[in-house]
Amino acid sequence: MMAQPAEAAALVERAQREGTPLVDAHPRDPALRRVTFLWEEDSGSPVEAVHLWVNRVTDKDSHERGWMRRIPNTSLWMLTLDLPAGLRASYGFSPGRTSTPERSPGTLAHRADPLNPAPRLRGLSVFSGDQAPSQREWEPRGATDPAETLRACRTVTTSLDALDVDGRGPRPCWLHVPLLDAAAGAGTGSGAGTPAGAGTPATPETPEKPGVPAASGKIAPVPLLVVFDGEVWFEEAGLPAALAAARRAGRLPPLAVLGIGNGRREDRRRFLGGHPAMLRAVAHRAVPWALKALAEHGVPAPGTGGRIIAGQSLGGLAALAAATETPGTFDAVIAQSPSMWWRPEGWRGIAGTPTPRDLHSAVPAWITERFTTAGTAAGSGIAGQARIRLQVGTLEGLTIGRMEMLRHRLAGDGWDVRMRGYEGGHDYAWWRGALLDALEELTAEPEDRRS
């Protein structure tokens, strides 16, 4: 039975009390939740249809699943979905003045949920199931406040001519510089401004830690993370604040971050993926610039063993390709939902520009073959020069199988590779938490792996 006006009033009252979406137990499956999304139209701007966009739940081939229903004689629209209890996903609403609003390929037409109390991400709301992994560093109750973030780090923003690989101009870059004499002792009992470990000299039983003074008085090198789509991580997602929170909680050591940005929207498609000139420019120009800038701020630069490269989607593929294009530059790779459909135009004689539809092809992924050919060209092989961490959303369909094939190939060739799935789609909503998970693992491994 469809809800009536009195029931609509009860839904609105509950939403105002609890926030949205409304979550109830599933009557049959304990792994699912009944999740009700609500949208109230503006009385001055009536609409004929509303579509609920949930990343990889009601988009692409499942677009029809997202049409909401108006409660009769009200301005309230609703849709109840059965969703995994561990899901974390971005979502938004697209109200339209026609009965069939045009399908929007991006997020610009989506409106955030005004009754969802969680911080928005890239202009969208985020649904987090009660069994979703914790993201305390990204949430208000766990995040470091702005003043504490400023005391723990500073961000250098610049444009690097060194990354102009096609004559279109420099690319924006961000450098997160951890301040080793501020907040370093948070959670250790040391006073503000006192480096953690002061008064506790390193011994053979107490290995040096990044950013912490050793017995010699020298500060151990700090790991460097290179991440693509820097404008998202620094300008929208709030990576510096999350790193400061993770550092205060003792989850991560001081960490430097070089964010590689995209000059124009079309640049991302053009230069991420497996673009050799861009990857070499990052490794041989941008990284040395970052290491020099860190040294000028008193941050000991890591050797090759303390460098990590990470990316998402096309950036994830670029991070993987960096391990083959510039072997020995990075100690570890974090590839989140890499675009397994990408290939150079003309590869294997395949005509046309690659698109996600190419996931249906019987041809193996380009990046999978690239690791094999790169290892053969290197003579003795390049396996073992980088630890590879693959992460994928459980709702990413054919990408999962392609990544499993890549993992199998890498493991067979001797790479240190691990793959982990997260309840979600192709989405920063889970990428941000999973990035810290991978960083925690990689920076906590034995010191001799980073030396």
Side-chain angles (χ1 to χ4, degrees):
M1 181 183 297
M2 188 172 290
Q4 297 300 313
E7 295 172 290
L11 286 173
V12 171
E13 189 278 331
R14 180 184 170 191
Q16 292 174 338
R17 183 178 67 251
E18 300 179 9
T20 49
L22 304 176
V23 181
D24 296 291
H26 193 277
R28 294 178 299 279
D29 190 341
L32 297 177
R33 299 291 182 266
R34 282 276 165 89
V35 184
T36 299
F37 296 85
L38 301 173
W39 174 263
E40 189 164 19
E41 67 184 52
D42 187 338
S43 59
S45 302
V47 297
E48 294 297 326
V50 180
H51 185 266
L52 167 68
W53 180 91
V54 184
N55 190 292
R56 293 304 187 268
V57 175
T58 63
D59 65 354
K60 296 188 177 293
D61 293 339
S62 299
H63 182 82
E64 294 300 315
R65 188 185 180 195
W67 292 114
M68 303 185 77
R69 299 183 298 275
R70 184 201 297 270
I71 298 177
N73 303 314
T74 74
S75 59
L76 193 67
W77 297 74
M78 69 177 293
L79 179 61
T80 298
L81 299 172
D82 292 342
L83 299 176
L87 177 69
R88 180 172 276 111
S90 302
Y91 73 93
F93 303 94
S94 293
R97 294 184 179 276
T98 66
S99 58
T100 55
E102 291 186 6
R103 178 172 174 173
S104 172
T107 62
L108 295 179
H110 303 317
R111 302 185 188 179
D113 187 344
L115 292 179
N116 185 330
R120 296 174 183 177
L121 179 60
R122 308 195 71 197
L124 295 172
S125 297
V126 176
F127 165 72
S128 299
D130 58 276
Q131 298 301 309
S134 171
Q135 287 191 359
R136 58 188 178 276
E137 294 86 3
W138 304 91
E139 299 168 355
R141 61 179 177 272
T144 305
D145 67 48
E148 289 178 341
T149 299
L150 289 174
R151 288 194 296 270
C153 67
R154 65 167 56 94
T155 298
V156 178
T157 304
T158 189
S159 293
L160 287 184
D161 291 319
L163 294 181
D164 180 10
V165 296
D166 68 341
R168 293 191 179 189
R171 299 177 74 86
C173 290
W174 292 258
L175 182 62
H176 170 83
V177 183
L179 303 185
L180 304 183
D181 59 348
T188 67
S190 57
T194 303
T200 309
T203 67
E205 293 75 27
T206 307
E208 295 182 6
K209 297 181 180 180
V212 176
S216 64
K218 295 182 178 179
I219 297 177
V222 169
L224 171 66
L225 168 68
V226 177
V227 63
F228 294 104
D229 293 306
E231 67 276 10
V232 176
W233 288 108
F234 280 82
E235 303 291 343
E236 300 182 59
L239 179 60
L243 291 176
R247 180 180 170 188
R248 285 179 56 82
R251 187 180 179 194
L252 290 177
L255 194 73
V257 184
L258 171 61
I260 307 296
N262 301 297
R264 304 176 182 87
R265 184 176 179 85
E266 61 268 23
D267 285 351
R268 187 176 190 278
R269 183 70 171 261
R270 181 178 175 87
F271 290 113
L272 292 188
H275 192 287
M278 173 58 70
L279 296 175
R280 289 194 294 268
V282 168
H284 304 315
R285 302 176 189 170
V287 169
W289 169 83
L291 298 179
K292 180 180 178 182
L294 290 171
E296 292 173 350
H297 286 86
V299 177
T304 302
R307 303 176 192 173
I308 304 167
I309 189 166
Q312 301 72 36
S313 193
L314 279 171
L317 191 80
L320 287 168
T324 68
E325 189 64 40
T326 61
T329 301
F330 299 101
D331 171 62
V333 174
I334 302 171
Q336 299 181 298
S337 305
S339 298
M340 301 298 292
W341 50 266
W342 189 93
R343 55 171 169 75
E345 292 192 27
W347 176 68
R348 279 195 168 205
I350 302 174
T353 301
T355 73
R357 291 189 295 274
D358 293 332
L359 287 171
H360 294 274
S361 170
V363 177
W366 170 82
I367 188 62
T368 303
E369 288 204 354
R370 174 62 181 150
F371 272 95
T372 298
T373 57
T376 301
S380 60
I382 58 174
Q385 293 193 16
R387 296 165 288 166
I388 297 180
R389 300 298 178 258
L390 304 173
Q391 298 176 334
V392 65
T394 56
L395 304 180
E396 295 200 72
L398 295 174
T399 295
I400 301 173
R402 294 276 178 154
M403 289 183 63
E404 183 57 43
M405 292 173 63
L406 172 63
R407 185 206 65 78
H408 182 76
R409 174 69 63 83
L410 291 172
D413 288 346
W415 291 85
D416 176 356
V417 58
R418 301 175 192 174
M419 179 170 163
R420 178 176 176 181
Y422 287 78
E423 290 276 9
H426 200 75
D427 199 347
Y428 278 94
W430 71 261
W431 288 341
R432 60 183 181 179
L435 178 63
L436 297 193
D437 291 345
L439 289 173
E440 181 178 24
E441 177 210 340
L442 292 169
T443 58
E445 290 189 1
E447 193 75 21
D448 60 357
R449 292 302 305 270
R450 299 196 303 270
S451 58

